Amino acid sequence: QQQVRQSPQSLTVWEGGTTVLTCSYEDSTFNYFPWYQQFPGEGPALLISILSVSDKKEDGRFTTFFNKREKKLSLHIIDSQPGDSATYFCAAGGNNAGAKLTFGGGTRLTVRP
Amino acid sequence: GGIITQTPKFLIGQEGQKLTLKCQQNFNHDTMYWYRQDSGKGLRLIYYSITENDLQKGDLSEGYDASREKKSSFSLTVTSAQKNEMAVFLCASSMGARAETLYFGSGTRLTVL
């Protein structure tokens, strides 16, 4: 059972453009939604996270939006840079899940100069 | 800061062989995780542990055993290696017993001949 769905699987944007990644989830008890960034040969690292009490969180060029009614979240990267080329994972967790974090399938982003 | 150390970085085994992957963390974190990352797929939870000698099954625990004999270490055993489980195995840790920031190691790549 895939509880967190992520799209697209891969994406190419031009330098300076805006990247939009999306995720949807099924479990209405999820209340914590982090995004992780993974470069080749490395483990994922936390990029930004949002709690279900908020609908938007911004950190520099990265913004995550949360829509509780539609059970969707998105990650927007403005002024995308070649150094942003990586795989991005959304994830979800909640009180009922304890320490468990469920990850989406990932989006491989390529930013072309 | 701390670090997650996974050994070995590359593991090659024969089909049917029992193989062990090791993970050490010096964050003094309570919770540790093992995730499996297949090419083009997301991270799937195999086992996690919220304290020394605790073990909790994830979604993909069949065919694996885990051991948390010390707070700082968490090992994963592939009980009978199969060709279809060639993947990268990622260890992570987090501070408490609830879903929060995960710190990942750089992974062990398993190849089964």
Side-chain angles (χ1 to χ4, degrees):
Chain A
Q1 181 189 3
Q2 189 177 1
Q3 295 190 35
V4 180
R5 296 179 189 274
Q6 187 170 349
S7 64
Q9 279 192 309
S10 63
L11 179 64
T12 300
V13 301
W14 292 106
E15 182 175 359
T18 297
T19 297
V20 181
L21 313 179
T22 62
C23 281
S24 63
Y25 64 96
E26 297 169 9
D27 189 335
S28 57
T29 66
F30 286 154
N31 61 6
Y32 169 66
F33 303 92
W35 287 89
Y36 281 79
Q37 179 187 54
Q38 184 182 30
F39 295 106
E42 299 180 10
L46 180 67
L47 179 65
I48 191 170
S49 65
I50 191 166
L51 296 174
S52 59
V53 294
S54 303
D55 56 14
K56 176 183 174 181
K57 187 169 181 184
E58 195 172 332
D59 184 358
R61 296 185 294 108
F62 300 88
T63 301
T64 183
F65 295 90
F66 176 67
N67 185 320
K68 188 171 185 176
R69 184 178 60 83
E70 295 186 9
K71 294 184 184 174
K72 288 184 177 178
L73 55 152
S74 63
L75 176 69
H76 294 231
I77 308 173
I78 62 170
D79 188 25
S80 299
Q81 299 296 308
D84 297 332
S85 298
T87 300
Y88 292 81
F89 295 97
C90 62
N95 293 335
N96 286 2
K100 276 182 70 171
L101 208 56
T102 300
F103 283 81
T107 297
R108 179 176 288 185
L109 172 67
T110 302
V111 182
R112 296 205 186 281
Chain B
I3 191 168
I4 304 273
T5 302
Q6 290 188 238
T7 54
K9 198 166 177 63
F10 299 95
L11 181 58
I12 300 174
Q14 300 289 329
E15 200 164 21
Q17 190 176 358
K18 184 175 177 179
L19 301 166
T20 299
L21 293 70
K22 294 186 183 295
C23 177
Q24 296 267 349
Q25 56 101 355
N26 64 359
F27 289 99
N28 198 32
H29 283 167
D30 288 326
T31 304
M32 296 187 74
Y33 306 79
W34 277 106
Y35 281 91
R36 174 174 150 177
Q37 182 174 20
D38 292 89
S39 180
K41 295 185 180 179
L43 281 65
R44 290 183 286 175
L45 183 63
I46 305 172
Y47 268 99
Y48 67 104
S49 165
I50 62 173
T51 188
E52 190 177 317
N53 292 318
D54 173 73
L55 286 177
Q56 312 266 352
K57 291 184 178 181
D59 300 320
L60 203 65
S61 61
E62 191 168 332
Y64 302 95
D65 286 329
S67 174
R68 182 98 182 269
E69 293 174 354
K70 292 192 302 183
K71 185 176 183 179
S72 62
S73 66
F74 194 30
S75 62
L76 180 73
T77 298
V78 182
T79 56
S80 177
Q82 303 298 315
K83 286 187 191 276
N84 64 2
E85 65 190 334
M86 292 198 293
V88 174
F89 291 80
L90 292 164
C91 177
S93 70
S94 66
M95 191 183 307
R98 297 176 61 177
E100 50 190 278
T101 304
L102 266 60
Y103 296 84
F104 284 87
S106 57
T108 293
R109 181 174 292 277
L110 174 64
T111 300
V112 182
L113 302 177

